[in-house]
Amino acid sequence: MSGGTVPEFSNEVGARMISIGVHEFTCIGANPPFDHPHIWLDMGADSEIVCPYCSTLYRFDAGLKPDESRPAEARYHARPLA
């Protein structure tokens, strides 16, 4: 993603499909400590992609902002280190 941070998404809820507002992102699988290797995915000109680790289907939705997802809890926000 040019000029910004790459959003991270997880599938902690076990959704069959997650709609997102970007074509380039990182999938982490479940939330830590049960995450898989954090993998950068790029849909390119396509509108969907499947994560090769967790098999989550991600679908681009132009109605969502780059930091939004449906379901909303799929947007992963790392907790700051204490």
Side-chain angles (χ1 to χ4, degrees):
M1 205 168 136
S2 178
T5 58
V6 176
E8 293 181 304
F9 297 96
S10 71
N11 194 1
E12 185 75 16
V13 297
R16 291 182 58 133
M17 185 203 44
I18 297 175
S19 298
I20 58 176
V22 291
H23 280 124
E24 300 172 357
F25 62 97
T26 299
C27 177
I28 69 166
N31 290 340
F34 305 107
D35 50 335
H36 63 54
H38 297 198
I39 181 170
W40 184 77
L41 298 171
D42 183 355
M43 292 183 202
D46 295 333
S47 61
E48 59 185 37
I49 194 169
V50 175
C51 176
Y53 281 97
C54 64
S55 300
T56 299
L57 171 64
Y58 289 95
R59 184 168 291 152
F60 176 72
D61 181 339
L64 294 172
K65 295 178 183 173
D67 63 345
E68 293 180 326
S69 64
R70 192 176 309 117
E73 49 277 3
R75 178 66 167 101
Y76 178 71
H77 298 280
R79 294 188 185 126
L81 298 174

